[in-house]
Amino acid sequence: MEFSSVTEEDEDRIIALTLEHLTDGAYVENCMRKQFASGKYYGVKATEDGELAGYLTFKEGIDFTYPHDELRSEVIKEAKGRKVFTGDAIYVNPKYRKCGLGGKLTAMARDIMIDHGGYYFLGEMWIYPDGTIPAHSPSKIYGEYEYEKIVPMFYKDNKKYGLTCPICGEDCKCGALISLIRLDAGKGTEDEKK
Ligand SMILES: CC(C)(COP(=O)(O)OP(=O)(O)OC[C@H]1O[C@@H](n2cnc3c(N)ncnc32)[C@H](O)[C@@H]1OP(=O)(O)O)[C@@H](O)C(=O)NCCC(=O)NCCS
């Protein structure tokens, strides 16, 4: 497995996978294209024999899948002016899951954020209708949670933005775990420290 930073050559593939497996819709595609062009969008990837096995993208600032004004104000208050990076997408091909790949990508992303002066990682972690939070475990590698809030029905306005959920379709019942995690390079897993 090879690990490296995402480049503009990965843009189409990452957008296609994000639309297929995370949130689908022109609104998300347009946001991602703008972010790729902004110079303030970052990502790390794992490839095997040229195939994209997984990726994690993130951006400077506070930016949810679509605007949540009250929550944004709450997070701004909690962050107290410190630099925040928001996670955009994390996806690992099912055949490589549960082997620590998500964790490894998280550790790489964390180090890039710290190098760019990041203090907090803002997570919008998807909560499936069955309560599963797939990104929860790898995200502990970022550091200490200083704020967390479960927001049920986080994606209830998907329809308004023309978005669909790969599990629920237009009428999304999924929630999100919103978290501010203080980035800490010393927080790596035992495996990572070896
Ligand atoms: C979220 C996602 C990226 C995690 O990727 P991953 O590579 O499986 O992540 P990790 O392997 O680091 O961790 C996942 C689990 O495997 C476990 N694990 C890691 N290494 C392991 C190993 N060597 N042996 C056994 N289990 C292991 C972790 O403890 C974790 O367990 P838990 O979730 O039951 O607590 C992946 O599930 C995914 O792509 N999901 C679909 C997209 C999605 O939901 N994205 C989240 C959007 S917010």
Side-chain angles (χ1 to χ4, degrees):
M1 191 73 66
E2 284 178 25
F3 295 90
S4 56
S5 290
V6 162
T7 70
E8 54 189 32
E9 284 171 19
D10 301 307
E11 178 174 338
D12 288 343
R13 182 88 191 109
I14 284 183
I15 290 177
L17 285 167
T18 301
L19 297 178
E20 185 179 351
H21 299 288
L22 298 173
T23 312
D24 196 8
Y27 179 83
V28 166
E29 174 167 4
N30 292 339
C31 288
M32 288 183 83
R33 296 224 179 266
K34 270 192 214 147
Q35 284 156 357
F36 262 100
S38 72
K40 291 187 173 178
Y41 194 63
Y42 306 87
V44 288
K45 65 180 177 188
T47 47
E48 180 127 290
D49 301 327
E51 182 197 14
L52 190 58
Y55 62 91
L56 192 172
T57 56
F58 52 98
K59 52 203 166 181
E60 280 185 34
I62 295 168
D63 190 26
F64 300 112
T65 296
Y66 60 73
H68 287 260
D69 293 341
E70 256 180 55
L71 190 60
R72 183 185 163 78
S73 304
E74 205 172 309
V75 171
I76 289 173
K77 210 168 144 197
E78 291 289 333
K80 298 184 182 76
R82 282 151 170 163
K83 187 163 179 176
V84 177
F85 281 87
T86 304
D88 198 39
I90 177 167
Y91 174 77
V92 168
N93 182 313
K95 72 179 176 196
Y96 300 108
R97 284 184 197 166
K98 301 256 173 196
C99 302
L101 193 49
K104 169 79 181 157
L105 293 170
T106 301
M108 290 170 67
R110 175 201 63 204
D111 293 347
I112 294 172
M113 291 178 211
I114 291 174
D115 283 351
H116 286 80
Y119 189 89
Y120 282 123
F121 172 78
L122 172 63
E124 175 195 316
M125 289 174 225
W126 189 7
I127 308 178
Y128 293 176
D130 70 0
T132 310
I133 311 177
H136 199 205
S137 171
S139 293
K140 291 175 185 150
I141 289 168
Y142 284 119
E144 294 299 327
Y145 279 62
E146 289 200 353
Y147 163 91
E148 58 185 319
K149 182 174 191 167
I150 288 178
V151 185
M153 301 290 291
F154 187 83
Y155 303 96
K156 65 177 171 8
D157 291 334
N158 265 6
K159 215 172 182 171
K160 186 170 143 193
Y161 290 91
L163 303 177
T164 53
C165 163
I167 299 176
C168 316
E170 272 188 346
D171 191 13
C172 185
K173 307 261 187 300
C174 296
L177 170 64
I178 306 303
S179 55
L180 264 183
I181 309 176
R182 183 162 42 84
L183 293 162
D184 178 5
K187 175 76 183 158
T189 59
E190 287 313 307
D191 272 357
E192 197 194 333
K193 285 175 188 162
K194 275 179 202 162

